[in-house]
Structures are given as structure tokens and as C-alpha cells.
Amino acid sequence: MASKFGLAGGIPERRVRPVWDAIDSRQFKNALKLSTALLAKFPNSPYALALKALILERMGKPDEALSVCLSAKELLYKNDSILMDDLTLSTLQIAFQRLDHLDLATSCYEYACGKFPTNLELMMGLFNCYVREYSFVKQQQTAIKMYKLVGEERFLLWAVCSIQLQVFCGNGGEKLLLLAEGLLKKHVASHSLHEPEALIVYLSVLEQQAKYGDALEILSGKLGSLLMIEVDRLRIQGRLLARAGDYTAAASIFQKILELSPDDWECFLHYLGCLLEDDSSWVNGVLNDPIAPPKFLDCKLSHLPDEMFDSRISDASAFMQKLQADTSDNTIRCPYLANLEVERRKHLYGKGDDDKLMEALMQYFFRFGHLACFTTDVEVFVEILTPDKKTEFLEKLMKSSESPSPVPAKALGQSITLLKVQQLISKMYKLSESELEGSACQMVETYCKNLPLSKDLDPQESMYGEELLSMVCNVLVQVIEFVQFKERLQHSNQYLMARVEAPILQLKQNADNIEEEECVLESLKYGIHFIELSNEIGSKSLTFNEDLPSRPWWTPTSEKNYLLGPFEGISYYPREDMTKDREANIRRVIERKSLLPRMVYLSIQSASALLKENIKVNGSVSGPKISSDLKFLLERYAKLLGFSFSNAIEVVVGVSGGQKPSSTIASDLIDWLNFAVFLNAWNLSSHEIAQPDGNGHGHRPGAWHIVDSLLEMYVLEKVRSMDPQICSPCVDLPILVQLVTEPLAWHVLVLQSSVRSSLPSGKKKKKGGSDQPNTPLSHAIRDSIQSVCGTVEHVTKWLREQINRPEDENLETILSFLHKKGQNEGGPGQVFKILETSVSSINETQLGERISQAVKAWSPVDVARKIVTGKCTVASKFLKICESKLKSLHAMKQQIAQV
């Protein structure tokens, strides 16, 4: 059964190796070619099939990959003579796992272990399958089988850990732990223990049962010698004593650890906790949890009497002073940071002194202020101070910086720390725009000035002051959002938004072909599910997985960016709580977007119903029902825009006719244009409202003109605002893309549906059937196609001009723009100028060859070229979208000409 030497899954290794090499180098097409050739020589090899399945999955073909995997599985089950080794099974397992079918991989291993129940290699593979499925009971059973088979200590530990996992998940509890303890005792009696990990597992089982005395006895006995490092043994001993409630003995142990390892900060917290009889470090038995690590603030207010509290705090302070005196290593921080923690505990107990805490902070700065970790070290202690005291602390730091360290590297580190502390207490965000720009320029100058310090560093070492560059970016540019999930994913506003955006993206990608669009709509259940989602949104509690306080001042939320103007009054860090406003706004946005798929579907059907006497939609919806459903959704859509249905109609009519300014709908531009497109589609099959042309009855072309004029007005306005696009910040480009891929795309679908329904079908037309070529509606459709075509052609022409501009001309334009900004105005031009000046005045003797070459490699022209290349890439992708729409519009022109 086992693989023979030189074979891989029953196939010579020399034939398999090229396939794996291609997979490892991500040459999947070549790998598939080699795999196909391998299968031709070994058509009945499950291993060859598993390899092919793995390649297909990597190529993004999951359905084909699953089919091949199932064929390999069937071969394994059907033919007993086939080689069934761990390599074949593990390859199948990888493929099944990537295809999200762990159960199928497990069943293969279960079958193999059933056929070969004494094969350790297969049993280990089965155990790993159960691990991936979190099947703790089956893990335990399989591990015990392996332990009984060979008697190895590691399999016993696997079984015990599986039992512990069951207990952690709330199953079995006391009985399971007694079983685990019994298994270990029996093994110790017959074989003893040989690995330190085995002892740690044994002690943890006893600790889970609160058998601290038994655990301490074992630790101090013969088995305790397995822990060769004394500090490790003492840590466990101290923890067991503390959990047993013997705080005095535990404090003595932790004190001994600190004497051996004076920079052990976690040990100091345990020591102080034991002195103050604070069990928060041990409560619920959660120790060193990597998911929710202990924080400074995770401590209880001491229940000790005043005199005892003062005495024990004094003992802690005295011991830290002794450690400081006995330690000659200047890099050790724990004894000095301990002074801050002692002052913090006094504050929590109500005996704090802000002045003493500030003095301790200043002393810590004088000793460690040059280190990158200083700000994170002191953050929790600074938070205790009142706002006035924080300002006073910052002023003291700034005053101390007037006489910097004589060591240049330390002086640089202290300067960086000062800037970080400013950010920590939010002083940086209270600066005006010009002050922020000045601060950014100062940071860049400081970085350039201190480049010589990195002259002799190894190429892999971090350069001195490189943090300044990221801090400059934080001041100048919007990049980074710190996300921490606070609620379950289903309640996340991002998750809901993604659920709604995904189908809209599908619709946008297929909008140029009405047949493909209808297939997408069918797969989306014609948008009905998303209507239900919009109905439920009001009852959902939304969460925002964002750490808003950590966002830059100019973008307090993802929806706001003060850099885009207006700038009046925005020279401070806004602190208002915007959560309620954001939640209400997000609800409206999600609800509006969730209506889109159904409205697109009904609009297409409305255009068809216009030219057909009675159409059935999804087996149940007829022409009149389309009109009423679409009107109901339009009323909801208008309400979400803050208007009644009739008032919303007045707005779009007024803006399109010039009676209202274009800025009237600018804030929700895409939604208003979507409304206009769907309103036109509804009007095609409705007789309820008067049309702008004033005929008063029948199907009138006025609504077509409204949509055409709105699309033309806003698309051309956005194009003009970005000329030349190469120097503009591209604020309007995403809006232009959205205009073309949403309202314009939905309008083109309505046109396609109208044209398709008007084409002769070869059958006898019903009464009231296809529209005649010279009716007002036919003229309106022709005019609309021509108008939209002209609008898209204008965008296409503009994009081609941007892409085809000579590179030298683009580079000259953007460089002159940056130089102008650097001379006369604020913004990125100033930073650009500082860097350019620094490069031109480089001193190779001061900086050394490596840094000099690196600095010389920076080129203003290269930076400009990358900007130009990026913008041209975006423009090229947008051009493809526009060309595809033009192709669809030209095809409609030809079709309607035949009617």
C-alpha cells in the first residue's frame, strides 16, 4: 500500500516534479498542460486527477475542479488495487479544502483508514482533517487510537488537548478533565514524561480543575526538571500560587523573577497585582489570550485598607528603585515604566498626584524619549491626565527639546517622539491648514538633514527617522482606516453595503447586452430579494467597524473629506459624535441601492409592455402591474431623496429645463439621474401624469428629453471640470464613471428594450402591437439614441485625447503645476520642492555611498511619470467601458433604421 521509493502517488517522481514546479511558480496554464499530459499516461491515477483539480482551482475554475476531485474520489473507492498513499490523499484534501468541501476530504481519509486501520500515516492525515473541521471528539478518538497503536507521548498529548478543546467549548467539563488527568497519570506511571510541553499540558489540566496544590507538587518534583529555564518554571509556580490565593508567596516568586529578568513587564504587573491582592490577571483562567490580550486597565480597585495599600505600594516603589540601582543596562525599561504604573494605581485608588505622574513621565522621556516605543509605552498614563495637564506636559516636552541630546540619533528620536505625543493628545489636529503644511515641510527637512546618520547601517536595517515619512503622509494624505470588528459581520454596515453593491456591479458589467442583463436579473430573482432587504433595513442595528478617533482630522468618516472644500471654519479636529447621523445616512443609501435591481428589471419590462398588448413577467406580472409596482418604488425612491413623488418630478423637470440650477441635485447626483431614468420608463406604460410637452394624453416624448438633457448636462460638466485631467486631483472622475455606468447604462437598457420590442418578429402583429416608425414615440427613441451616443462620444474623444497626449507634454504640465504650488501656494508642491532641493545638494561624503545612491535614484520626473502612468491606466479602462456602450448604441441605430 505504501509508496515505493522514487514514486509519487504511484507515478515516477521525475514525471510529477515539473507539474509541482509550475504550480509553485504560479505558471498555472503550463501546469495544466503538463497535468493533462500526465493524465494521458496515467488515466486511472487519483493522484494525477487531484493534481489537475488543484490547478483548475488555482485558475479560478472551481466547478471543473470539483468535478475532477469527485472523479478521483470515485476511483479511490471503486478500485482496491489503486495506490492509496498519504500524498494522494493530502493533495485531494488541499483541493477539497480550497473548494470549501472539507467533509469530502475527511470522507476520503475515513475510507482509507477503514481499509488500512493500522497505517499511522493515514491516521495522522485523518486527525488533521478533524482538526480543520473542529471535530474535537473525533480528534480525541483518533489520537487515542494512534496512542494505543504505538504508545508515543505526542499522540497522548494530542488526545488530551482535544479533550481540553471540548471543555473550552462547554462540553463535558469535569468528567472529561478527569479522563484527561487519568490518561496522563497512567502514562507517567508507566513511561514518565520526556518533553517540557507534556509537563505544561499536564499542569494545565490540573489547573483547569483548580487542583493548584497537586500542580505545585508535580512542578517541585522530579518532573519539574523538564523545564530547564528557571524563569519559566518560576512563572508557572507564581501563577499557581496566585490562583490558589497565596498572594504573599506568589509576590515573592514574581519578585525573584524580576531580579533574574528585570525587564519582564508582564511579570511586574503580576507582582504588583499580588501585592494589592488583585486577581484580575487570573480571573476565569484566561491567561495570555492572543485574541484579547490583557491591557493596562485590566485591574480592580484595591479592597485593601488605606494603610496596607500605602505600605504595599511603597514596597513596590522601593523594590523598583533597587532594581534601577542594580541594573547597569541602559536599555532596560521595566523598572522605570513601573514608576508610572505605581502612580496610575494611586490614581485609581483615589490617591493620585498629577504633578508626580508628570514628573515620572518627564523622567521616562529623558531616559527613553528617543525610542520609537516611547509613545505607546506612556499612552495609557497620559490618558489619566486632565486636558490642562496634558497641555502642560506637552509644553514641558517642547521646552526640554530646546536643549536636545548631544547624540544626533537620540536628538532625532526625541524630535519624532514630540510629534507623536502631539498627535496622541490631539494637538496636531487643532493646527490650521497652513500650520499643518509647515509641520509637514519641517518633518521632511528633518528627515533629509539626518540622512547621514544612516550612512553605516546595514541595507536591511531601518533608516533613522524613516517614521517621519509616514507621519508626513498622515498629515498630507488621506490612505488608512484601522478596522476592528465590534459586532457580528451580519450587523456590519459594510457587509450590508457589499451585499447590495455586488448585484449592482453585476448589472453594470452586463448592461451593454440586454439578453445577458436579463439572465443576471433572473439569477437575482428579478430584484425581489433586495426589495425585502430594503424593507428589513429599518429594523437592523448597524455597526461601523471603524476606529473613528484614529482617522485623520480632514476625513472624520469615509463619507467626509474636508480637503475637497469648502475650507471655511475647518481648521480644527471635529469631535462631534456623528454615529447617529451616519447610521441614518447609511440606511438611506442601502435602501436606495437595494431598490435598483428591481427598478432596472421593471423599467426594461415597462419599455417592452409599451409595445405589447399584455406581457407576463415571471409568470405573474402583467403590463398594468408593472406600472403600479414601478410607481410604488419610484415613490419610495423619491421619499429617500427627501421629496414627495410629485415634488421630485418638479425638480428633475425644472433642472432639465433650466428653471432650477444644476446644483439643486448635485449632492445626490447619481440617485437623481437614476430617478429620472426610471421615471421615464414608468411614463412609457403609464397614463397618470401630464408630460412636459403638454399634449395631455398618450405616450409622449417629453420624458425622454428630460433624461437625455440631464445626462448630457452633467456628463459634459464633469468632463469640462477635469480638463486637463492630468493635473486635476481626479475628484470628479469617479462621479463621471458612475454617471456612465449607472444612470446612462440603465437608460441604454430601456432604449434596447424599446428597440427590441419595436422590431418585426415575423408574426402577425396584435392590435395595439409594435409601434409604427413615424409615431412621436419612435422619433423620441431615435432622438434619445442619438443624444446618448453624442454624449458618450464626447467622453470617448476626451479620454483618447488624455491618453494620446505626448508623455513629455504630460510630464511638463504636472511638474510645472507642482513647482508653481511649491513657490506660491500650500500643498504637495512644498514637500516636492524640499525633496528636489535635498537631492540636488547631496553630499556623498556625509551620507556614504549606499544612501547617496538611493537618494540619487529619486527623481522628480520619475514621480511625475508614475502619476501620469496611473492616470492613463485608469483612463484606458474607462475608455473600454465607453467604447462598449458606443458599440451597443450604434447597433441600436442600425436596428431602428430597419423599423
Side-chain angles (χ1 to χ4, degrees):
M1 190 221 77
S3 299
K4 296 180 181 178
F5 181 76
L7 296 181
I11 302 174
E13 199 273 343
R14 61 185 174 80
R15 293 188 178 274
V16 175
R17 174 48 48 196
V19 182
W20 278 112
D21 288 342
I23 293 173
D24 291 341
S25 59
R26 303 185 63 81
Q27 298 176 8
F28 298 127
K29 288 186 178 179
N30 186 36
L32 183 62
K33 182 180 178 181
L34 293 169
S35 171
T36 303
L38 190 68
L39 266 173
K41 291 184 178 294
F42 302 93
N44 295 319
S45 168
Y47 179 60
L49 283 170
L51 266 180
K52 183 176 182 181
L54 188 61
I55 296 165
L56 288 169
E57 191 281 329
R58 295 287 183 91
M59 294 177 72
K61 300 179 178 180
D63 294 337
E64 292 180 49
L66 181 59
S67 176
V68 175
C69 276
L70 292 173
S71 298
K73 179 174 177 283
E74 187 178 350
L75 270 177
L76 282 173
Y77 281 38
K78 187 166 62 176
N79 194 341
D80 289 344
S81 64
I82 285 180
L83 186 68
M84 193 177 294
D85 63 345
D86 184 61
L87 180 60
T88 300
L89 291 171
S90 64
T91 307
L92 257 182
Q93 183 270 323
I94 293 170
F96 275 130
Q97 182 178 358
R98 293 181 67 91
L99 292 166
D100 200 23
H101 282 284
L102 281 172
D103 55 324
L104 295 177
T106 303
S107 66
C108 290
Y109 269 102
E110 287 174 337
Y111 177 77
C113 288
K115 287 187 67 177
F116 306 99
T118 60
N119 185 276
L120 193 64
E121 191 178 50
L122 294 179
M123 292 174 76
M124 289 171 68
L126 179 60
F127 177 85
N128 288 329
C129 285
Y130 290 142
V131 168
R132 295 182 183 96
E133 290 185 346
Y134 305 100
S135 299
F136 303 139
V137 175
K138 291 182 178 180
Q139 283 177 219
Q140 172 198 334
Q141 294 168 347
T142 307
I144 287 177
K145 284 181 183 177
M146 292 188 283
Y147 175 63
K148 288 181 177 179
L149 187 66
V150 294
E152 288 186 21
E153 185 177 277
R154 58 172 173 157
F155 298 130
L156 174 64
L157 297 184
W158 290 6
V160 171
C161 289
S162 299
I163 290 172
Q164 288 181 298
L165 287 169
Q166 294 175 60
V167 175
F168 286 138
C169 292
N171 299 322
E174 185 179 347
K175 290 183 179 179
L176 281 174
L177 290 172
L178 285 172
L179 170 62
E181 183 184 355
L183 289 170
L184 285 163
K185 277 185 176 178
K186 185 177 180 181
H187 183 82
V188 169
S190 58
H191 299 85
S192 188
L193 295 177
H194 301 90
E195 297 294 334
E197 291 79 8
L199 174 61
I200 291 171
V201 169
Y202 192 4
L203 293 175
S204 69
V205 169
L206 294 171
E207 194 173 354
Q208 279 181 277
Q209 300 176 82
K211 295 181 178 179
Y212 308 120
D214 293 348
L216 285 165
E217 184 179 346
I218 290 171
L219 185 64
S220 59
K222 182 181 178 182
L223 288 177
S225 61
L226 288 171
L227 297 174
M228 304 293 291
I229 301 173
E230 184 182 5
V231 169
D232 291 344
R233 186 167 64 253
L234 288 173
R235 282 197 186 97
I236 296 174
Q237 184 181 357
R239 185 180 75 231
L240 291 171
L241 287 168
R243 297 201 70 189
D246 191 349
Y247 292 117
T248 303
S252 178
I253 294 295
F254 288 125
Q255 183 170 328
K256 187 175 181 180
I257 295 172
L258 286 167
E259 289 170 348
L260 294 170
S261 180
D263 209 25
D264 191 332
W265 175 244
E266 185 180 15
C267 180
F268 169 75
L269 292 178
H270 294 333
Y271 164 70
L272 189 58
C274 289
L275 281 181
L276 301 178
E277 299 184 11
D278 173 12
D279 65 349
S280 55
S281 296
W282 332 107
V283 71
N284 297 327
V286 179
L287 303 168
N288 300 324
D289 185 352
I291 298 173
K295 301 176 182 177
F296 285 100
L297 299 179
D298 290 342
C299 59
K300 295 180 180 177
L301 291 177
S302 180
H303 60 279
L304 300 175
D306 285 358
E307 291 183 4
M308 189 177 291
F309 175 84
D310 292 341
S311 172
R312 294 189 178 180
I313 279 288
S314 296
D315 290 344
S317 296
F319 178 55
M320 289 301 107
Q321 296 297 327
K322 180 178 181 298
L323 280 183
Q324 292 175 21
D326 294 345
T327 302
S328 57
D329 188 346
N330 291 330
T331 63
I332 289 178
R333 310 193 326 269
C334 175
Y336 302 92
L337 197 59
N339 291 335
L340 294 170
E341 179 64 15
V342 166
E343 291 300 325
R344 189 179 76 89
R345 296 293 178 115
K346 288 180 182 178
H347 270 268
L348 292 176
Y349 196 76
K351 293 191 172 188
D353 186 329
D354 284 348
D355 292 331
K356 286 186 178 179
L357 178 56
M358 270 204 294
E359 180 59 29
L361 284 166
M362 290 303 301
Q363 291 301 321
Y364 195 73
F365 175 76
F366 292 140
R367 183 172 285 272
F368 301 110
H370 61 286
L371 298 180
C373 62
F374 175 86
T375 310
T376 52
D377 282 352
V378 304
E379 180 176 2
V380 70
F381 308 113
V382 172
E383 286 300 316
I384 295 173
L385 297 173
T386 63
D388 290 341
K389 289 294 183 181
K390 287 179 182 177
T391 302
E392 186 180 339
F393 171 56
L394 181 59
E395 288 171 354
K396 286 188 174 185
L397 287 181
M398 295 176 73
K399 187 174 181 180
S400 70
S401 67
E402 294 174 1
S403 53
S405 169
V407 181
K410 283 192 173 184
L412 174 62
Q414 288 176 339
S415 300
I416 296 172
T417 293
L418 183 59
L419 291 166
K420 287 182 177 179
V421 173
Q422 279 184 291
Q423 291 182 339
L424 176 65
I425 63 178
S426 301
K427 288 295 181 184
M428 183 73 76
Y429 304 113
K430 294 182 181 179
L431 299 177
S432 66
E433 186 181 345
S434 60
E435 287 173 324
L436 283 171
E437 290 174 359
S439 177
C441 292
Q442 182 184 353
M443 284 187 260
V444 176
E445 287 174 343
T446 302
Y447 175 75
C448 295
K449 178 183 174 182
N450 286 278
L451 279 174
L453 296 177
S454 305
K455 175 180 178 180
D456 299 322
L457 290 179
D458 186 270
Q460 295 182 344
E461 291 184 89
S462 298
M463 294 180 66
Y464 287 107
E466 65 178 26
E467 293 169 278
L468 286 167
L469 299 180
S470 60
M471 293 171 71
V472 170
C473 293
N474 191 39
V475 171
L476 293 178
V477 183
Q478 180 181 5
V479 206
I480 299 173
E481 188 176 271
F482 298 98
V483 178
Q484 178 187 8
F485 287 105
K486 297 184 176 82
E487 295 289 342
R488 298 181 66 178
L489 179 62
Q490 288 79 1
H491 295 285
S492 164
N493 81 91
Q494 286 93 340
Y495 173 70
L496 281 175
M497 188 68 81
R499 282 179 63 188
V500 174
E501 289 282 10
I504 295 175
L505 178 60
Q506 281 184 278
L507 292 172
K508 288 160 76 169
Q509 290 171 333
N510 294 276
D512 296 334
N513 187 311
I514 192 168
E515 285 78 18
E516 292 179 5
E517 190 81 332
E518 286 174 330
C519 291
V520 172
L521 286 164
E522 184 179 2
S523 71
L524 298 174
K525 306 298 181 186
Y526 310 100
I528 293 174
H529 169 71
F530 297 98
I531 294 293
E532 294 170 354
L533 177 65
S534 71
N535 294 333
E536 297 171 5
I537 191 68
S539 61
K540 287 185 177 290
S541 59
L542 298 185
T543 60
F544 297 90
N545 302 327
E546 299 173 326
D547 185 9
L548 294 181
S550 69
R551 293 183 66 91
W553 68 268
W554 63 81
T555 169
T557 69
S558 56
E559 297 84 20
K560 288 191 177 183
N561 190 334
Y562 293 133
L563 294 184
L564 302 182
F567 298 101
E568 293 79 9
I570 309 298
S571 60
Y572 59 91
Y573 179 50
R575 288 288 189 179
E576 69 271 17
D577 182 9
M578 294 172 285
T579 303
K580 290 183 180 178
D581 291 340
R582 289 193 74 210
E583 185 167 349
N585 183 51
I586 291 293
R587 285 183 194 280
R588 287 193 295 270
V589 171
I590 293 176
E591 191 170 350
R592 282 201 300 263
K593 288 180 179 293
S594 62
L595 299 178
L596 279 178
R598 184 66 176 169
M599 293 177 83
V600 169
Y601 171 71
L602 291 174
S603 296
I604 292 173
Q605 299 306 322
S606 181
S608 298
L610 165 68
L611 302 164
K612 296 180 181 178
E613 184 177 15
N614 191 27
I615 185 171
K616 293 290 181 179
V617 180
N618 195 18
S620 62
V621 184
S622 62
K625 186 71 166 65
I626 293 170
S627 179
S628 62
D629 283 1
L630 189 51
K631 182 183 179 184
F632 174 73
L633 295 181
L634 281 165
E635 288 172 341
R636 280 185 65 180
Y637 205 81
K639 186 177 180 181
L640 291 168
L641 287 169
F643 288 79
S644 67
F645 183 45
S646 58
N647 288 343
I649 294 174
E650 289 179 9
V651 169
V652 295
V653 171
V655 173
S656 68
Q659 292 87 11
K660 294 181 182 291
S662 62
S663 59
T664 305
I665 62 174
S667 59
D668 294 303
L669 179 59
I670 304 301
D671 294 315
W672 275 109
L673 265 63
N674 284 339
F675 176 81
V677 169
F678 300 138
L679 179 68
N680 173 53
W682 172 68
N683 282 343
L684 294 176
S685 58
S686 168
H687 307 279
E688 295 191 27
I689 67 170
Q691 297 294 320
D693 68 321
N695 288 345
H697 64 278
H699 303 296
R700 288 168 292 277
W704 292 96
H705 178 70
I706 291 174
V707 177
D708 297 337
S709 62
L710 287 173
L711 287 171
E712 182 180 12
M713 178 195 311
Y714 287 103
V715 168
L716 299 188
E717 179 183 293
K718 295 303 175 187
V719 170
R720 285 192 293 268
S721 72
M722 293 185 291
D723 201 13
Q725 184 252 353
I726 205 68
C727 284
S728 69
C730 289
V731 173
D732 286 333
L733 185 59
I735 301 175
L736 178 61
V737 173
Q738 202 174 359
L739 280 169
V740 172
T741 57
E742 288 193 32
L744 189 144
W746 313 146
H747 187 53
V748 170
L749 283 171
V750 173
L751 287 168
Q752 288 185 67
S753 180
S754 301
V755 171
R756 182 179 63 179
S757 299
S758 67
L759 291 175
S761 60
K763 299 179 181 178
K764 184 178 179 180
K765 295 177 184 176
K766 298 180 181 179
K767 183 179 179 181
S770 178
D771 182 48
Q772 297 303 312
N774 293 317
T775 64
L777 178 61
S778 285
H779 285 299
I781 293 173
R782 284 190 176 90
D783 292 345
S784 186
I785 293 173
Q786 187 64 39
S787 174
V788 176
C789 195
T791 300
V792 179
E793 282 175 346
H794 190 95
V795 178
T796 304
K797 179 184 176 184
W798 173 75
L799 286 169
R800 288 199 181 106
E801 288 174 354
Q802 301 299 318
I803 295 167
N804 295 330
R805 283 184 72 188
E807 186 181 69
D808 292 343
E809 184 180 334
N810 283 331
L811 293 177
E812 184 180 349
T813 303
I814 198 165
L815 285 171
S816 62
F817 169 78
L818 288 170
H819 284 140
K820 179 183 176 184
K821 284 281 184 181
Q823 290 172 0
N824 304 319
E825 304 175 32
Q830 290 188 357
V831 173
F832 196 80
K833 184 180 178 183
I834 292 170
L835 291 171
E836 194 173 17
T837 304
S838 178
V839 171
S840 63
S841 60
I842 191 170
N843 187 324
E844 190 165 339
T845 306
Q846 280 187 327
L847 297 180
E849 183 181 357
R850 182 175 66 86
I851 296 176
S852 298
Q853 294 303 319
V855 173
K856 286 179 180 177
W858 186 89
S859 164
V861 176
D862 287 343
V863 173
R865 184 175 285 111
K866 288 177 182 177
I867 294 172
V868 170
T869 302
K871 292 193 173 187
C872 286
T873 300
V874 172
S876 297
K877 291 181 179 179
F878 186 28
L879 178 61
K880 288 182 180 178
I881 294 173
C882 294
E883 287 175 337
S884 177
K885 299 212 176 299
L886 274 179
K887 183 178 179 182
S888 175
L889 288 162
H890 288 151
M892 277 193 284
K893 276 187 178 181
Q894 294 177 356
Q895 289 173 335
I896 203 166
Q898 301 170 8
V899 178

